[in-house]
Amino acid sequence: MKKTLTASAVALTLSMFAQAASAEGKLSLYHWFEYIPQEMLDRFAEENGIEVTMDTYDSNEAMLATLKAGSLGTYDLSFPGDYMVKILGDEGMLDTINDGELKNKANIDPQWIDVPYDLGRNSSIPYQWGTTSFSVNRDLFKGDISSTAILFDPPAELSGKINMLDSQGEVLTLAALHMGIPQCSTDRDQLKALNALLQSAKEHWVSFNSDTAKEVLVTGDAAAGMIYNGFSAKGRLEGGNIEYAFPKEGLIAWMDNAVLLKDAPNRENALKFMDFLLEPKNIAELTNWAQYSAGVLGADEFLTDELRSTPENNKPDSAGPSVFVEACSEEVQAVYDNIWTNLKK
Amino acid sequence: MAQAGEDIKKYPGFMGITIFCLLILYAPLIVVMVYSFNESKSITEWQGLSLKWYVDVFVGPESAKFKEAALNSFSIAITAAIAATIIATSAATGMLRGGAFKGRGLSFALINLPLIVPEIVTAVATLIFFSAIGFERGYLTILVAHIAFCIPFAYMPIAARMQGIEDTYEQAALDLYATKAQAFKRVLLPLLMPGVISGFILAFIISLDDFIITNFVKGAGIETLPTAIFGAVKQGIKPNIMAISTMLLGVSIVMVTVSYFVGKSDQKK
Amino acid sequence: MAGGAASGGSAQTDTFKESRTWLLMPSWLVLGFFILIPVLMMLLYSFLTKEFRGGVIWEFSLSAYDQFFFDRGLFGDEEPSIEWTYINIFWRSIWQAGAATILSLLIGFPTAYFIATRPAESRQMWVFLVTIPYWVNLLIRTISMKFLLRDQGPLNDFLMAIGFVDSPVHIINTDFAVQLGLFYSYLPFMVLPIYAAVERYNFSLSEAAADLYATKWQTLRKVLLPAVKPGVIAGCILVFVPSLGSFLAPDLLGGAKNFMIGSLIEEQFKGNAGNWPFGAAASMILLSLVMVILMISARKSNKGGEG
C-alpha cells in the first residue's frame, strides 16, 4: 500500500514537472500572413508556456471556404473582418464567451462594444480597424476630393484613370453611400438604380485591382483609386504624392476582429490570448507595427506620435459617416451577385 | 559536308526570336532584382541603394517563416516532381507501348484531368475529400495533392518524345534476349531522357508555384513560398519579397552553372 | 519501316503489352484517388442546392445549370431568356487562351528548335535558361511585368528613346496584355515538349529534302513539322488548357474588368457569392468542353503517327 502510494506520488509529481517543462498547452490561430509580429507571439508563448501555431489565409472568403470545407474544429481563434464575423455567427461557427470569462473585456473602447455584427461582443474582440475610401495622386489631379463622385461620376480628366478594389462588398457599399440608399436594400427601384450607376461608372474605371491598389496610385498609373487608409499612408510614406479622401457621403469602416471559433481545441488558451490582445501595451505594439488603429482603451498613449497624427487615421468633421459593410440576406445577396456579374461580364 | 550539315539546321530569325523570348522572360526579373536593393519600402519608387532587405530576409523577425516556407516549397517540389515523373514515365510506357486496349481513351482523359479542372475546384473538392476520410492536413496532404496534379505536366513531354522513338531498338534488344526491364532501362529510357528531364522540370516549376491548391490543403503552421508571398502581398508589397526572389534566382543560376560544367565533363568522358 | 522512319517513329506499339496494367496502375491510383474522386464529388455538387455563404444542401436541383444557361433578370423572376453572360465569358476565355497559345507557338517553336540544335553540351543549359525565371513566384514576376509595361514604364521609355514610337504604347489593361500574361505564365510548357521532340529529329531527313531542292521553309513545313507534331500538340495543350482556367496574370495585367472562366469560378468559392453548385456546374461545363478538344487532338495525333 505504502509502496503504491509513493509510486503514484512520484508519478504524479513527475508528470507535473513534465507538463511544466513541455508546453502547458497549445494555441492554434488562423490569421492573415504578416498581420501580427512574431515577437508578440513568441512573448505570449513564453509568458504562458503555450505553444502557438498559426495557419494563414489570404482573404476573408478563403477563410470561410476552408472552414466550411472541414477545417472548423482545428483552430481556436480566427481574425475575420466585420461582415465576416456576422456570417460566421449566422453559420454557427462561433463560440460564445460567457460573462466574466474575458478578464479584460472592460478595456474595449465603448464605441466598439455594440457593433452591428456582434452586439455586446459575445464572440469577438476588436483587433485592428481602419477606413476604406479613395485616394488621388495630387501630381495628376488638383481638384476637390470631398465627394464619392470622384469614383462614380468623375470629372473628365479622371476618366479612364480610376482603379477600384476588386471586392464586391466594398464597391457596392461605397456605391450605396454615394447614392444615399441603405445597404442591403430590398427596394427594387433602388437596386435597379444601383445596377445602372455601376454600369455607367464602369466606363471611367481602368481596372479592378486590390493587391496593387497602392502601387498604381503611387506611380500615377491611376490618378484616383479606392484604397484602405493604411495602404494609402504607406504609399505616401514611400514617396507618392497621394492624399486620402474623407467624402461627405461617407466612407467605409472596417474592423478585423479576433473571434473564438466553435469547437476550439484549446478554448482556455484562446481566451488567454484574447485577454493578451486587450492589454493596452500589447495592442499598441501591434498597432505601431501594423499601422492601423486599435479599439482598446488606453492604447492611444503608447502609439508613436507619427501614427497618432497621421492624416489617414484622423477623419475631419466635415466627412460623412463611417459605415461597416453589411452582410445581406440571401435574397438581396443574390441580386448583389447579379449586379456584380453584370459589372464584370 | 559537315558545314552543310550544320547549315541545314539553321533557320534565319530563329536565334533572334530565342533571344527575344529570353528577354521577355528575364526583363521582369531585372525589375525584381533592382528593387530588392531599394532603400524605401516601395517597389516602384527608387530611393537609393540598400542591402537592408537582404538583412531582413536573413535575420529579420519574419525571416524564419520565409526560410521554412522556402524549404517546404523546394522539398515538396523536388519530391513531387520525382514521383510525378516516375509515374508519368510508367504511364506513358503503358499508353504508348502497351498496344491498343479498351480503356485507352479514358486513361488519357484521367491522366490529363488535373490539367482541365480549374484549380479552385480541385482545391475545395480535395479539402472536403481529405476531411471526409480524416486525412489530417499538413505537409503530406500538400505533397500528395502536388504529385497528383504534376503528373500531366510530366506526362506530356515524355509521351511526345516517346512517340518519336521507333520501337525497333527495343525489339532488337528483346530479340537479343534482353528482359523487358533491361530493354526499358538500357534502350528506351536513355532515348527518352530529354523528355523525362523536360517532364521533371515542368513538374518542378508547377509545384513550386502552386498557390490555390496548396492554400486549401495545407495544415496549420505550414507555409510554402507562394502562400507566404501571396499572404505578404495582402499586407502591402514590400521589397523583402523581391530580395527573396532574387536569392532564389541566384540559387537556380548557381545550380545551372554547376550542371553545365558537370554536363561538359560528362561529354568529355 | 520506311514509313515509320519518315514520320520519325511509330505512335504506339505493343512492346510492353504484358506489363501494361502494372505500368498504368500508379497513375490510375494516384489520379483516381486524389483527382477523380474530388472531381466526381464536384459533379455531384453541381446537381445539389446551394447553401447560403458556401457549401451545399443535399437536395437535388438543376438551378446551377439553369443559372448558367437561362437569364431570369436582375431579381430572378422574369421570363427566362438565353443567358449569354456566361457563354460570353467562356468564349472570351477561349479566344484569349487560343491567342495566347498561338503567341506561345510563334515564339516558343523557334526557341525550342534553336535550343534543340545547339551543341549537345550546351543544350541543357539553354533549357535551364528558359526555365530559371519560373523559380521566381509568378505573382512577383507578373507584378514586375505590370510595371515594365506601364505607359510611363521602362518599356515605353525605351521605345520612345529609340524613336520607335512617338507616344507611349498603351499595353497594360488591354487584351494583348492578357495574352502576354498567359504567354508569360505558360511558355516553358510550349518550349519543353517541342524541344524534346525536335531533339529526336533526324536531320538527315532535312538534308534529303534539301537534296531534292526543297527550300528551308518547305522542309520545315513538310518534313520537320509532321515529325515533331506530337511535341507541338503537347505544347499547345499544356498552354491552352491551363490558360482557360487561369486568371492571376490575366487579371493583374488585363485590369480584371471582365471575368475569365477562372475568376468566375473562383468567385463562386471564394467570393461573396458562395455558390458552390454553380461553381461546380461551370467547372463541369468547362471540363466537357476541354475533353472534346482533347479527344479531337488525340485523334489527330494518332492519325499523324500512322501516316
Side-chain angles (χ1 to χ4, degrees):
Chain A
M1 186 60 174
K2 214 173 173 196
K3 265 199 181 159
T4 331
L5 268 179
T6 326
S8 349
V10 170
L12 197 58
T13 326
L14 276 179
S15 73
M16 273 165 55
F17 274 133
Q19 272 213 317
S22 72
E24 198 184 282
K26 301 191 174 184
L27 180 65
S28 175
L29 302 176
Y30 199 21
H31 207 344
W32 297 80
F33 191 81
E34 279 196 340
Y35 201 3
I36 186 166
Q38 187 61 39
E39 293 133 357
M40 270 184 79
L41 290 178
D42 293 337
R43 205 169 72 235
F44 174 79
E46 236 185 89
E47 278 173 17
N48 295 280
I50 295 177
E51 185 194 329
V52 181
T53 52
M54 191 170 95
D55 196 3
T56 64
Y57 51 85
D58 72 312
S59 73
N60 279 305
E61 285 72 20
M63 169 193 51
L64 177 65
T66 47
L67 287 177
K68 275 216 144 182
S71 66
L72 188 65
T74 59
Y75 306 116
D76 297 305
L77 296 174
S78 185
F79 296 80
D82 36 271
Y83 65 95
M84 189 49 78
V85 176
K86 172 128 197 320
I87 293 178
L88 290 177
D90 289 343
E91 296 284 321
M93 291 182 169
L94 298 180
D95 197 359
T96 323
I97 305 171
N98 304 312
D99 281 337
E101 277 192 312
L102 218 49
K103 287 187 295 131
N104 291 334
K105 189 161 177 188
N107 289 358
I108 302 181
D109 191 327
Q111 67 168 317
W112 301 121
I113 290 256
D114 278 326
V115 283
Y117 53 85
D118 185 13
L119 293 169
R121 290 289 183 182
N122 292 319
S123 311
S124 65
I125 62 169
Y127 186 68
Q128 291 279 276
W129 69 272
T131 55
T132 306
S133 90
F134 65 91
S135 288
V136 293
N137 184 315
R138 276 310 188 187
D139 289 334
L140 297 171
F141 182 70
K142 319 261 185 224
D144 174 47
I145 57 170
S146 63
S147 163
T148 46
I150 295 278
L151 296 177
F152 297 104
D153 192 12
E157 61 179 304
L158 281 178
S159 179
K161 302 213 176 103
I162 303 176
N163 177 54
M164 299 295 279
L165 291 178
D166 198 3
S167 160
Q168 180 193 44
E170 283 154 320
V171 171
L172 291 181
T173 304
L174 211 53
L177 277 176
H178 176 75
M179 289 176 62
I181 61 173
Q183 285 188 64
C184 301
S185 158
T186 48
D187 181 306
R188 289 208 165 191
D189 291 321
Q190 286 179 342
L191 288 168
K192 284 199 201 145
L194 183 63
N195 189 38
L197 171 77
L198 289 168
Q199 290 294 318
S200 70
K202 182 184 176 178
E203 287 156 26
H204 305 290
W205 298 340
V206 72
S207 58
F208 285 89
N209 222 290
S210 298
D211 291 336
T212 50
K214 162 173 66 106
E215 280 71 22
V216 293
L217 276 171
V218 169
T219 56
D221 288 343
M226 271 181 85
I227 194 170
Y228 309 112
N229 65 337
F231 269 34
S232 191
K234 287 181 178 145
R236 188 173 48 79
L237 292 170
E238 283 172 19
N241 189 3
I242 54 182
E243 186 183 329
Y244 188 67
F246 291 95
K248 57 185 192 310
E249 294 88 348
L251 62 164
I252 299 176
W254 58 265
M255 174 172 268
D256 289 328
N257 312 266
V259 295
L260 183 62
L261 291 170
K262 198 153 176 23
D263 299 333
N266 309 287
R267 194 171 179 280
E268 269 211 38
N269 293 341
L271 289 167
K272 277 194 193 155
F273 194 71
M274 284 176 134
D275 273 327
F276 180 77
L277 288 175
L278 287 173
E279 297 276 351
K281 275 211 174 132
N282 292 332
I283 200 71
E285 179 186 340
L286 172 70
T287 312
N288 283 327
W289 187 84
Q291 306 234 307
Y292 295 112
S293 305
V296 172
L297 291 171
D300 218 44
E301 57 176 291
F302 297 108
L303 298 179
T304 62
D305 288 326
E306 195 191 334
L307 187 60
R308 219 179 291 138
S309 63
T310 183
E312 288 84 2
N313 287 1
N314 291 298
K315 188 172 94 166
D317 296 321
S318 57
S322 308
V323 302
F324 284 117
V325 171
E326 284 172 40
C328 303
S329 69
E330 195 168 347
E331 299 79 35
V332 179
Q333 185 62 51
V335 181
Y336 270 22
D337 292 340
N338 282 336
I339 295 180
W340 187 248
T341 308
N342 282 345
L343 199 53
K344 291 256 222 147
K345 67 177 172 191
Chain B
M1 259 322 264
Q3 187 73 321
E6 278 314 299
D7 252 0
I8 201 75
K9 295 185 185 178
K10 288 204 172 69
Y11 279 88
F14 274 23
M15 173 145 132
I17 294 184
T18 307
I19 305 288
F20 179 63
C21 177
L22 289 173
L23 267 176
I24 301 183
L25 289 183
Y26 279 88
L29 293 178
I30 299 182
V31 173
V32 172
M33 280 196 287
V34 165
Y35 279 99
S36 68
F37 293 105
N38 196 7
E39 169 62 41
S40 82
K41 282 189 178 181
S42 170
I43 61 159
T44 53
E45 305 299 305
W46 178 255
Q47 275 177 10
L49 203 66
S50 162
L51 283 175
K52 70 184 199 194
W53 299 110
Y54 287 92
V55 173
D56 177 73
V57 168
F58 279 111
V59 298
E62 307 296 325
S63 65
K65 290 210 198 102
F66 277 112
K67 278 186 208 149
E68 210 187 298
L71 219 65
N72 283 337
S73 273
F74 273 92
S75 56
I76 291 177
I78 291 181
T79 317
I82 292 178
T85 308
I86 295 177
I87 297 178
T89 311
S90 171
T93 315
M95 289 284 283
L96 295 172
R97 294 284 198 259
F101 62 97
K102 268 208 192 144
R104 211 163 165 275
L106 278 177
S107 276
F108 187 65
L110 182 61
I111 291 173
N112 284 304
L113 203 54
L115 259 187
I116 312 173
V117 182
E119 271 202 87
I120 184 73
V121 170
T122 319
V124 174
T126 311
L127 177 59
I128 298 178
F129 176 57
F130 282 172
S131 307
I133 61 173
F135 193 179
E136 208 179 296
R137 293 183 307 144
Y139 186 92
L140 211 55
T141 45
I142 305 178
L143 184 61
V144 155
H146 277 225
I147 295 178
F149 74 69
C150 282
I151 291 178
F153 290 97
Y155 178 85
M156 287 302 215
I158 297 174
R161 172 83 175 183
M162 202 184 280
Q163 284 183 296
I165 300 176
E166 305 146 35
D167 71 339
T168 43
Y169 303 103
E170 297 137 53
Q171 296 289 4
L174 291 171
D175 285 343
L176 294 169
Y177 304 111
T179 64
K180 297 265 166 136
Q182 285 174 323
F184 180 79
K185 193 170 135 203
R186 287 165 177 249
V187 178
L188 186 55
L189 197 55
L191 288 172
L192 217 43
M193 257 316 156
V196 170
I197 295 182
S198 297
F200 175 80
I201 294 178
L202 285 186
F204 180 75
I205 62 185
I206 262 279
S207 166
L208 202 59
D209 235 357
D210 179 69
F211 171 69
I212 304 180
I213 295 184
T214 313
N215 208 19
F216 271 75
V217 303
K218 69 183 168 74
I222 310 264
E223 296 292 335
T224 61
L225 216 45
T227 64
I229 291 177
F230 273 63
V233 160
K234 295 289 165 182
Q235 299 298 334
I237 308 173
K238 292 198 307 275
N240 61 346
I241 317 177
M242 304 298 202
I244 295 174
S245 306
T246 309
M247 288 197 299
L248 272 180
L249 207 57
V251 166
S252 64
I253 291 180
V254 164
M255 285 185 54
V256 168
T257 321
V258 166
S259 86
Y260 175 65
F261 283 113
V262 166
K264 257 196 150 170
S265 66
D266 235 6
Q267 287 288 330
K268 290 207 181 110
K269 285 188 221 154
Chain C
M1 261 293 274
S7 64
S10 41
Q12 61 192 79
T13 61
D14 54 6
T15 323
F16 292 98
K17 190 157 73 170
E18 294 83 39
S19 342
R20 181 176 61 218
T21 319
W22 288 113
L23 286 172
L24 287 167
M25 188 69 72
S27 52
W28 284 344
L29 279 177
V30 172
L31 292 170
F33 238 128
F34 298 110
I35 304 282
L36 186 62
I37 293 187
V39 169
L40 288 175
M41 245 174 53
M42 272 298 158
L43 177 63
L44 186 62
Y45 273 28
S46 72
F47 289 103
L48 297 176
T49 315
K50 92 166 200 192
E51 193 184 337
F52 191 37
R53 305 285 177 210
V56 288
I57 303 177
W58 286 83
E59 245 174 63
F60 178 78
S61 162
L62 284 175
S63 60
Y65 290 96
D66 178 284
Q67 180 179 349
F68 193 91
F69 291 109
F70 293 111
D71 179 5
R72 293 173 190 271
L74 195 64
F75 302 99
D77 57 2
E78 290 165 29
E79 276 300 303
S81 57
I82 300 199
E83 175 69 88
W84 290 108
T85 308
Y86 304 112
I87 298 181
N88 279 337
I89 293 176
F90 265 61
W91 174 241
R92 179 190 307 131
S93 296
I94 291 175
W95 91 254
Q96 296 275 35
T101 307
I102 294 177
L103 183 64
S104 304
L105 194 56
L106 287 176
I107 297 192
F109 184 87
T111 307
Y113 180 90
F114 178 79
I115 297 179
T117 53
R118 291 310 87 212
E121 322 89 58
S122 60
R123 258 177 237 161
Q124 283 298 9
M125 184 202 75
W126 282 97
V127 167
F128 278 133
L129 263 183
V130 170
T131 54
I132 285 177
Y134 291 82
W135 287 51
V136 175
N137 191 268
L138 181 66
L139 182 64
I140 304 290
R141 275 183 297 127
T142 312
I143 292 179
S144 303
M145 171 151 283
K146 188 176 158 92
F147 291 100
L148 275 180
L149 294 176
R150 292 164 44 221
D151 287 352
Q152 296 99 19
L155 178 67
N156 273 311
D157 285 345
F158 174 70
L159 288 175
M160 288 201 287
I162 63 171
F164 199 62
V165 289
D166 289 322
S167 57
V169 181
H170 185 66
I171 304 181
I172 201 78
N173 297 325
T174 62
D175 278 341
F176 178 62
V178 174
Q179 285 142 32
L180 194 62
L182 289 171
F183 159 84
Y184 195 55
S185 307
Y186 298 112
L187 184 74
F189 302 143
M190 177 65 79
V191 171
L192 258 51
I194 297 181
Y195 158 79
V198 174
E199 208 256 4
R200 179 77 202 130
Y201 175 71
N202 188 348
F203 278 93
S204 57
L205 292 170
S206 289
E207 287 184 21
D211 286 342
L212 294 169
Y213 302 110
T215 66
K216 274 197 176 173
W217 299 102
Q218 281 175 324
T219 314
L220 182 74
R221 257 180 45 229
K222 302 206 172 198
V223 183
L224 178 69
L225 271 180
V228 298
K229 190 147 80 146
V232 173
I233 293 185
C236 289
I237 293 179
L238 282 178
V239 171
F240 182 75
V241 176
S243 292
L244 277 183
S246 166
F247 59 91
L248 182 84
D251 272 0
L252 266 177
L253 294 176
K257 281 181 79 172
N258 304 101
F259 275 137
M260 304 268 289
I261 298 180
S263 40
L264 173 70
I265 295 179
E266 171 114 351
E267 179 86 6
Q268 305 311 310
F269 290 100
K270 279 174 81 170
N272 294 61
N275 193 342
W276 289 19
F278 180 67
S283 307
M284 291 302 127
I285 295 175
L286 177 67
L287 210 125
S288 324
L289 202 69
V290 176
M291 285 291 195
V292 168
I293 297 177
L294 278 184
M295 281 199 271
I296 296 179
S297 83
R299 220 156 275 177
K300 268 195 167 174
S301 128
N302 275 351
K303 278 211 197 113
E306 290 154 24

